[in-house]
Amino acid sequence: LKATESYKTADNLHRDSDLPRASRGWFEGITTFIDEIRDNGLDRLSLCFVRMSRNGKEFAEEYLQPFSRGLASGSRKHIIMLLLLVMFGFVLVHWIVLKDSNLNANLVPAPALCASQDDLYDTASHLCRVGNKYAFWFLKRKDWVQCAPNLPGYRLLQRNADMNGNFWYSYKNSAQIKQFYDTCIPECATDEDVYDSKRDLCRVTDGVLVTWLNGDGQTCATGTKGERAIRHATASLSHANGYFYAPDASGKVRRLLESCHSSCAKGDVLLHDKR
């Protein structure tokens, strides 16, 4: 009996509480709100989602406007709902930011452990994250880079992708991953274009396109993404001695090449065959 003397039910807790009257009023409001949600909250929630899918305006008129009027009138229930929503949003944003900052803080370069100097080592999970850009984009199924897909390293990385699109592996498997990395090469727009590994760019070798880029004649489509990719990459070099483009722009350059056709040199006149 003594053990049950201090027990109070939800129905009489606000009556027997030693809290001030104002606090008991807030508690009573919270209790009433919880009871309403418990009794018919699921039905209202289902109806809410159905009407949201049918007509957003109707949802706003039926729910948002009464809610705003309830806030304006000082309704305790509506104020509590607003405070709970704000607190939930704050906690969610704080958790996301804190999670990302912790993740970045744990990532450090560790070429002695990982397969590449571009890979990062997570000191918390003891895993390496793929940083080799050609292997990464091959895993993303881009057509401008080729790697050997029959190696154990490739299959291992395929199985270890996170929800953010990153690929991970244990530092104990670095040798297998490095073997996979060594097979990765970028593909240029044509077989004749040469990949410059020092500049990490492809060199334009098509004579018609080079002549057109020089402004000495020939015909190609102007203002294309391929042209912009070539001029942007070439302008970034101090001593270009030719025209270049990034390997990931190979598709754009290939489409530009398809629009090119030869013509007479600048100033020359095409003579028709008079047989």
Side-chain angles (χ1 to χ4, degrees):
L1 291 175
K2 288 184 178 180
T4 59
E5 285 180 357
S6 59
Y7 176 79
K8 301 182 189 298
T9 65
D11 294 332
N12 60 15
L13 182 59
H14 66 278
R15 292 195 300 265
D16 299 336
S17 175
D18 295 331
L19 294 173
R21 182 178 302 175
S23 299
R24 292 202 302 270
W26 279 101
F27 181 82
E28 182 178 357
I30 295 174
T31 305
T32 304
F33 173 67
I34 293 175
D35 291 340
E36 290 180 0
I37 293 297
R38 181 184 58 195
D39 294 337
N40 54 17
L42 292 177
D43 295 336
R44 289 186 177 180
L45 188 61
S46 301
L47 180 60
C48 173
F49 279 108
V50 170
R51 291 187 175 178
M52 281 180 65
S53 62
R54 290 179 179 176
N55 194 326
K57 183 178 179 181
E58 180 182 349
F59 169 78
E61 292 177 351
E62 187 165 350
Y63 292 96
L64 296 184
Q65 291 182 3
F67 182 76
S68 61
R69 287 196 296 268
L71 287 177
S73 63
S75 170
R76 286 198 299 268
K77 182 175 71 175
H78 291 84
I79 293 175
I80 291 172
M81 289 178 62
L82 179 62
L83 291 175
L84 290 175
L85 288 173
V86 171
M87 291 176 61
F88 175 76
F90 176 79
V91 171
L92 181 63
V93 172
H94 179 72
W95 178 79
I96 293 174
V97 172
L98 185 63
K99 179 176 178 291
D100 291 342
S101 61
N102 287 339
L103 180 62
N104 293 332
N106 293 333
L107 293 175
V108 296
L113 291 174
C114 299
S116 167
Q117 62 181 3
D118 298 320
D119 294 358
L120 295 176
Y121 179 71
D122 189 340
T123 57
S125 64
H126 305 292
L127 296 175
C128 294
R129 189 180 75 179
V130 172
N132 183 288
K133 67 177 182 179
Y134 294 127
F136 177 83
W137 288 117
F138 180 76
L139 289 164
K140 291 289 189 180
R141 304 184 184 279
K142 297 298 182 180
D143 59 359
W144 54 270
V145 59
Q146 292 297 323
C147 304
N150 58 340
L151 295 178
Y154 171 70
R155 294 191 292 270
L156 189 150
L157 291 175
Q158 270 194 320
R159 295 193 301 267
N160 292 279
D162 62 20
M163 60 183 299
N164 296 318
N166 294 309
F167 301 91
W168 301 83
Y169 62 92
S170 170
Y171 67 92
K172 298 178 182 179
N173 298 319
S174 294
Q176 292 181 337
I177 303 303
K178 186 178 186 307
Q179 184 184 21
F180 169 65
Y181 284 177
D182 291 341
T183 68
C184 296
I185 55 172
E187 285 194 343
C188 298
T190 67
D191 294 337
E192 290 76 20
D193 287 359
V194 180
Y195 173 69
D196 190 329
S197 59
K198 293 182 179 180
R199 291 171 170 168
D200 193 20
L201 296 172
C202 293
R203 177 189 288 271
V204 178
T205 59
D206 184 83
V208 174
L209 180 56
V210 170
T211 302
W212 179 78
L213 290 168
N214 286 330
D216 295 331
Q218 310 303 338
T219 303
C220 298
T222 60
T224 63
K225 294 180 179 179
E227 179 190 358
R228 290 195 293 270
I230 293 173
R231 297 198 184 279
H232 176 74
T234 305
S236 66
L237 302 174
S238 55
H239 302 287
N241 190 24
Y243 293 97
F244 297 84
Y245 56 92
D248 59 359
S250 295
K252 301 173 184 177
V253 175
R254 193 176 298 117
R255 287 189 290 274
L256 171 61
L257 284 166
E258 291 173 355
S259 71
C260 296
H261 59 272
S262 59
S263 60
C264 295
K266 187 177 182 180
D268 292 351
V269 179
L270 176 64
L271 299 177
H272 296 282
D273 188 6
K274 298 181 180 179
R275 291 182 183 180

